[in-house]
Amino acid sequence: MLPQPAEPDWQLLAQQHEARAKRRRLLIGVGVGAGVLVLGGGAVATALLTRGGDPEPSSTASASASPGKGSKGPGGASPAPASSAPLKPAVSASELFGKAAFDLGGHNYVRKTVTTDIPCWKASAFGLGDVLTANNCSQVMRATYFSGSTAITVGVAVFKSEAEARKTESAFKGQVQSLDGKDGVNKFCRNVACPTTHAVTGRYVYLTVAGPLNGSAGDQNPIARTAGQELATYFGEALAKDAGADKG
């Protein structure tokens, strides 16, 4: 009778199979982990290269990708495109200084002469021209008015944007140059102290200088002070309406 073949050791085979399975699982886990470490290190290196220094602390959660073309923002709504509508043309000197005469606060103002200055520094004095040029002033409109024995020049500097006008206001120095020398207007507020005003609305910086018709100093003259303030308020309101139309 032939001897029967020995039975396989099933328990030993099962143990060996389980051991091989554990080794496979361990190797797969380490491989993914190594991949995560490499990718993480690459992200930090990119941050250092682009920032030129240490990266800012960030969450360990995975970062969302930046929305691409055609993607939608939070809530599924498509982001609204930025407005690129151009500003309407700036108000002209003929529009702004169109009235030949008008009354303010019981005082009568008569327009005597009007001009538009390009480049802007031509209408400036005592350093204002440098500020206007630095902020891309495109033109200065000026008009001189008489009220009794007082002359007042109103100046309006025009910029391409409100930001440039406000930068001019924040760095302001000097004054608008009085508009004289033609249309029967003798020199006034030249090389003497006179009250001035300046303010900004929209893309306009508006200014006044006022003093006696005879060219004497006006800084202590209450009539000249009042005249400059009244015209500044009047034209500031007119320019505010035009600036509001830009935003509407």
Side-chain angles (χ1 to χ4, degrees), residues 215-229:
S216 61
D219 58 325
Q220 302 300 318
N221 186 322
I223 297 175
R225 287 180 177 273
T226 298
Q229 291 168 357

Side-chain angles (χ1 to χ4, degrees), residues 87-90 157-162 165 201-205 243 246:
L87 292 173
K88 71 182 187 66
V158 182
F159 298 85
K160 294 180 180 179
S161 70
E162 181 174 348
T201 183
R203 57 171 161 167
Y204 303 106
V205 174
D246 278 339

Side-chain angles (χ1 to χ4, degrees), residues 86-114:
L87 292 173
K88 71 182 187 66
V91 63
S92 67
S94 60
E95 293 170 330
L96 185 62
F97 303 127
K99 287 186 177 180
F102 51 86
D103 292 329
L104 290 175
H107 306 117
N108 181 247
Y109 293 93
V110 179
R111 187 196 65 219
K112 300 299 292 185
T113 187
V114 177

Side-chain angles (χ1 to χ4, degrees), residues 16-248:
Q16 291 173 346
H17 177 77
E18 180 63 23
R20 286 193 297 269
K22 285 183 178 180
R23 284 197 297 272
R24 284 197 299 270
R25 287 196 297 269
L26 179 61
L27 289 171
I28 292 172
V30 170
V32 172
V36 170
L37 290 175
V38 171
L39 290 173
V44 173
T46 301
L48 288 170
L49 288 172
T50 55
R51 286 175 51 82
D54 294 332
E56 294 180 350
S58 61
S59 170
T60 56
S62 60
S64 300
S66 299
K69 184 178 180 181
S71 62
K72 296 184 179 181
S78 298
S83 174
S84 59
L87 292 173
K88 71 182 187 66
V91 63
S92 67
S94 60
E95 293 170 330
L96 185 62
F97 303 127
K99 287 186 177 180
F102 51 86
D103 292 329
L104 290 175
H107 306 117
N108 181 247
Y109 293 93
V110 179
R111 187 196 65 219
K112 300 299 292 185
T113 187
V114 177
T115 192
T116 297
D117 296 284
I118 302 173
C120 296
W121 60 262
K122 290 184 176 181
S124 68
F126 308 120
L128 177 59
D130 293 337
V131 182
L132 296 175
T133 300
N135 290 295
N136 303 312
C137 173
S138 61
Q139 61 180 307
V140 177
M141 300 172 287
R142 288 186 294 166
T144 292
Y145 293 83
F146 284 0
S147 181
S149 60
T150 301
I152 314 98
T153 290
V154 178
V156 176
V158 182
F159 298 85
K160 294 180 180 179
S161 70
E162 181 174 348
E164 290 173 328
R166 294 202 175 277
K167 284 176 64 177
T168 299
E169 170 69 7
S170 64
F172 193 89
K173 63 180 178 179
Q175 66 179 64
V176 65
Q177 183 68 280
S178 58
L179 176 59
D180 52 40
K182 61 179 183 177
D183 299 325
V185 182
N186 295 324
K187 288 186 177 180
F188 69 100
C189 291
R190 299 284 185 123
N191 302 315
V192 295
C194 282
T196 64
T197 69
H198 66 273
V200 61
T201 183
R203 57 171 161 167
Y204 303 106
V205 174
Y206 56 101
L207 320 98
T208 66
V209 58
L213 289 174
N214 62 13
S216 61
D219 58 325
Q220 302 300 318
N221 186 322
I223 297 175
R225 287 180 177 273
T226 298
Q229 291 168 357
E230 285 185 339
L231 288 188
T233 299
Y234 177 80
F235 286 105
E237 290 175 351
L239 292 166
K241 292 178 181 178
D242 185 80
D246 278 339
K247 298 177 181 179

